Amino acid sequence: MKELLIILVSSAIVNNVVLSQFLGLCPFLGVSKSVETAAGMGGAVVFVITIASFITGATYQFILHPAGFEYLQTIVFILVIAALVQFVEMFLKKVMPLYNALGVYLPLITTNCAVLGVSLNCVTKGYNILEGVVYGFSTAVGFTIAIVIMAGIREKIEYNDISESFQGTPIVLLTAA
Protein backbone atom coordinates (compact mmCIF):
# COMPACT_ATOMS: atom_id res chain seq x y z
CA MET A 1 0.00 0.00 0.00
CA LYS A 2 2.86 2.35 0.85
CA GLU A 3 4.46 1.67 -2.54
CA LEU A 4 1.21 2.50 -4.36
CA LEU A 5 0.96 5.79 -2.47
CA ILE A 6 4.54 6.66 -3.44
CA ILE A 7 3.74 5.87 -7.09
CA LEU A 8 0.59 7.99 -6.86
CA VAL A 9 2.25 11.10 -5.43
CA SER A 10 5.49 10.88 -7.39
CA SER A 11 3.91 10.44 -10.81
CA ALA A 12 1.20 13.07 -10.32
CA ILE A 13 3.25 15.81 -8.69
CA VAL A 14 7.00 15.18 -8.59
CA ASN A 15 7.57 13.50 -11.97
CA ASN A 16 4.71 15.19 -13.79
CA VAL A 17 4.47 13.82 -17.32
CA VAL A 18 4.14 17.30 -18.85
CA LEU A 19 6.37 19.39 -16.62
CA SER A 20 9.30 17.02 -16.08
CA GLN A 21 9.11 14.43 -18.88
CA PHE A 22 7.76 16.82 -21.56
CA LEU A 23 5.27 14.26 -22.88
CA GLY A 24 1.87 15.34 -24.12
CA LEU A 25 2.88 18.90 -24.96
CA CYS A 26 0.80 19.12 -28.16
CA PRO A 27 -2.62 18.80 -26.49
CA PHE A 28 -1.25 20.60 -23.43
CA LEU A 29 -0.52 23.75 -25.43
CA GLY A 30 -3.38 23.37 -27.90
CA VAL A 31 -6.25 22.82 -25.48
CA SER A 32 -5.13 24.97 -22.57
CA LYS A 33 -6.84 28.16 -23.75
CA SER A 34 -9.73 27.91 -21.30
CA VAL A 35 -10.15 26.09 -18.02
CA GLU A 36 -13.36 24.41 -19.20
CA THR A 37 -11.79 22.81 -22.27
CA ALA A 38 -8.66 21.92 -20.29
CA ALA A 39 -10.75 20.13 -17.67
CA GLY A 40 -12.64 18.26 -20.40
CA MET A 41 -9.40 17.16 -22.01
CA GLY A 42 -7.99 16.20 -18.61
CA GLY A 43 -11.02 14.06 -17.82
CA ALA A 44 -10.76 12.28 -21.15
CA VAL A 45 -7.04 11.71 -20.64
CA VAL A 46 -7.60 10.29 -17.14
CA PHE A 47 -10.15 7.83 -18.51
CA VAL A 48 -8.10 6.72 -21.51
CA ILE A 49 -4.69 6.51 -19.81
CA THR A 50 -6.10 4.51 -16.90
CA ILE A 51 -7.76 1.97 -19.19
CA ALA A 52 -4.75 1.92 -21.55
CA SER A 53 -2.42 1.23 -18.62
CA PHE A 54 -4.49 -1.77 -17.65
CA ILE A 55 -4.85 -3.19 -21.16
CA THR A 56 -1.24 -2.64 -22.24
CA GLY A 57 0.06 -3.96 -18.91
CA ALA A 58 -2.03 -7.10 -19.23
CA THR A 59 -1.04 -7.50 -22.89
CA TYR A 60 2.63 -7.23 -22.04
CA GLN A 61 2.50 -9.44 -18.95
CA PHE A 62 0.31 -12.21 -20.36
CA ILE A 63 1.06 -12.20 -24.10
CA LEU A 64 4.23 -10.38 -25.16
CA HIS A 65 6.59 -11.31 -22.32
CA PRO A 66 5.73 -15.03 -22.08
CA ALA A 67 5.94 -15.42 -25.87
CA GLY A 68 9.27 -13.58 -26.05
CA PHE A 69 7.89 -10.76 -28.22
CA GLU A 70 9.01 -7.86 -26.01
CA TYR A 71 10.54 -6.12 -29.02
CA LEU A 72 7.02 -5.63 -30.45
CA GLN A 73 5.77 -3.70 -27.42
CA THR A 74 5.79 -0.24 -29.04
CA ILE A 75 3.87 -1.35 -32.12
CA VAL A 76 1.39 -3.39 -30.09
CA PHE A 77 0.88 -0.57 -27.57
CA ILE A 78 0.20 1.95 -30.37
CA LEU A 79 -2.37 -0.38 -31.92
CA VAL A 80 -4.00 -1.09 -28.57
CA ILE A 81 -4.19 2.62 -27.67
CA ALA A 82 -5.58 3.63 -31.07
CA ALA A 83 -8.19 0.87 -30.92
CA LEU A 84 -9.05 1.77 -27.33
CA VAL A 85 -9.58 5.43 -28.16
CA GLN A 86 -11.77 4.51 -31.13
CA PHE A 87 -13.76 2.10 -29.00
CA VAL A 88 -14.21 4.66 -26.22
CA GLU A 89 -15.30 7.28 -28.77
CA MET A 90 -17.88 4.93 -30.33
CA PHE A 91 -19.13 3.81 -26.92
CA LEU A 92 -19.55 7.34 -25.59
CA LYS A 93 -21.21 8.48 -28.81
CA LYS A 94 -23.72 5.65 -28.64
CA VAL A 95 -24.46 5.44 -24.93
CA MET A 96 -23.64 8.60 -23.01
CA PRO A 97 -24.51 12.25 -23.38
CA LEU A 98 -20.98 12.90 -22.10
CA TYR A 99 -19.75 12.44 -25.66
CA ASN A 100 -20.76 15.99 -26.56
CA ALA A 101 -18.38 17.31 -23.92
CA LEU A 102 -15.50 14.97 -24.77
CA GLY A 103 -16.12 14.34 -28.47
CA VAL A 104 -13.62 16.91 -29.68
CA TYR A 105 -10.90 15.73 -27.32
CA LEU A 106 -11.01 11.98 -27.82
CA PRO A 107 -9.31 11.97 -31.26
CA LEU A 108 -6.57 14.19 -29.82
CA ILE A 109 -5.79 11.55 -27.21
CA THR A 110 -4.74 9.09 -29.92
CA THR A 111 -1.89 11.41 -30.86
CA ASN A 112 -1.02 12.21 -27.26
CA CYS A 113 2.41 10.72 -26.73
CA ALA A 114 1.83 10.73 -22.97
CA VAL A 115 -0.51 7.73 -23.35
CA LEU A 116 2.17 5.68 -25.07
CA GLY A 117 4.83 7.05 -22.72
CA VAL A 118 2.91 5.88 -19.66
CA SER A 119 2.51 2.38 -21.10
CA LEU A 120 6.20 2.15 -21.97
CA ASN A 121 7.23 3.57 -18.58
CA CYS A 122 5.17 0.88 -16.82
CA VAL A 123 7.13 -1.81 -18.66
CA THR A 124 10.47 -0.07 -18.15
CA LYS A 125 9.89 0.37 -14.42
CA GLY A 126 8.72 -3.23 -14.05
CA TYR A 127 5.30 -2.42 -12.62
CA ASN A 128 2.73 -5.15 -12.23
CA ILE A 129 -0.80 -4.50 -13.52
CA LEU A 130 -2.10 -2.83 -10.34
CA GLU A 131 0.97 -0.60 -10.01
CA GLY A 132 0.70 0.23 -13.71
CA VAL A 133 -2.94 1.27 -13.37
CA VAL A 134 -2.12 3.43 -10.34
CA TYR A 135 0.81 4.93 -12.23
CA GLY A 136 -1.37 5.60 -15.29
CA PHE A 137 -4.18 7.13 -13.26
CA SER A 138 -1.91 9.38 -11.24
CA THR A 139 0.07 10.43 -14.31
CA ALA A 140 -3.18 11.41 -16.01
CA VAL A 141 -4.25 13.32 -12.91
CA GLY A 142 -0.89 15.13 -13.00
CA PHE A 143 -1.51 15.95 -16.67
CA THR A 144 -4.94 17.32 -15.73
CA ILE A 145 -3.49 19.42 -12.90
CA ALA A 146 -0.85 20.89 -15.22
CA ILE A 147 -3.22 21.63 -18.10
CA VAL A 148 -5.84 23.25 -15.84
CA ILE A 149 -3.21 25.42 -14.14
CA MET A 150 -1.81 26.45 -17.53
CA ALA A 151 -5.32 27.24 -18.79
CA GLY A 152 -5.97 29.35 -15.71
CA ILE A 153 -2.77 31.30 -16.28
CA ARG A 154 -3.57 31.81 -19.96
CA GLU A 155 -7.10 32.99 -19.13
CA LYS A 156 -5.76 35.35 -16.48
CA ILE A 157 -3.24 36.82 -18.92
CA GLU A 158 -5.83 37.16 -21.68
CA TYR A 159 -8.50 38.88 -19.61
CA ASN A 160 -6.32 41.15 -17.45
CA ASP A 161 -4.62 44.35 -18.41
CA ILE A 162 -0.87 43.96 -18.63
CA SER A 163 1.28 47.06 -18.41
CA GLU A 164 2.97 48.08 -21.62
CA SER A 165 6.45 47.36 -20.26
CA PHE A 166 5.55 43.68 -19.86
CA GLN A 167 3.98 43.20 -23.30
CA GLY A 168 5.81 41.80 -26.29
CA THR A 169 9.55 41.90 -26.84
CA PRO A 170 10.75 43.63 -23.63
CA ILE A 171 9.58 40.80 -21.37
CA VAL A 172 11.17 38.25 -23.70
CA LEU A 173 14.49 40.06 -23.50
CA LEU A 174 14.30 40.28 -19.70
CA THR A 175 13.49 36.61 -19.21
CA ALA A 176 16.03 35.40 -21.78
CA ALA A 177 18.95 37.06 -20.01
Side-chain angles (χ1 to χ4, degrees):
M1 187 64 176
K2 182 179 177 183
E3 189 172 314
L4 293 177
L5 185 62
I6 290 171
I7 291 171
L8 186 78
V9 171
S10 68
S11 60
I13 310 255
V14 178
N15 297 321
N16 188 291
V17 71
V18 175
L19 303 176
S20 69
Q21 297 176 15
F22 304 112
L23 293 174
L25 288 178
C26 294
F28 176 75
L29 294 174
V31 183
S32 64
K33 293 182 181 173
S34 75
V35 174
E36 184 179 334
T37 58
M41 179 64 168
V45 166
V46 167
F47 185 70
V48 169
I49 286 184
T50 303
I51 293 174
S53 297
F54 174 74
I55 292 174
T56 56
T59 302
Y60 182 82
Q61 189 170 0
F62 296 121
I63 297 171
L64 294 177
H65 185 64
F69 293 139
E70 291 93 350
Y71 59 91
L72 293 175
Q73 71 186 6
T74 304
I75 295 169
V76 171
F77 288 177
I78 289 171
L79 292 173
V80 166
I81 290 166
L84 175 66
V85 170
Q86 292 301 315
F87 175 73
V88 168
E89 184 176 9
M90 288 186 307
F91 177 76
L92 289 178
K93 189 175 187 178
K94 190 79 169 168
V95 176
M96 296 185 169
L98 181 65
Y99 176 77
N100 293 331
L102 300 180
V104 174
Y105 309 117
L106 285 173
L108 287 174
I109 297 171
T110 306
T111 62
N112 189 346
C113 59
V115 181
L116 179 62
V118 167
S119 298
L120 293 174
N121 280 344
C122 288
V123 171
T124 303
K125 295 179 181 192
Y127 290 154
N128 62 31
I129 294 174
L130 176 63
E131 291 170 339
V133 169
V134 169
Y135 176 73
F137 174 77
S138 58
T139 299
V141 168
F143 177 88
T144 303
I145 291 168
I147 196 171
V148 168
I149 289 173
M150 177 63 139
I153 292 170
R154 287 178 76 175
E155 277 186 355
K156 189 83 168 161
I157 289 172
E158 184 177 335
Y159 296 125
N160 284 343
D161 293 330
I162 300 172
S163 66
E164 192 174 319
S165 62
F166 287 111
Q167 292 180 4
T169 307
I171 191 67
V172 172
L173 294 176
L174 287 175
T175 57

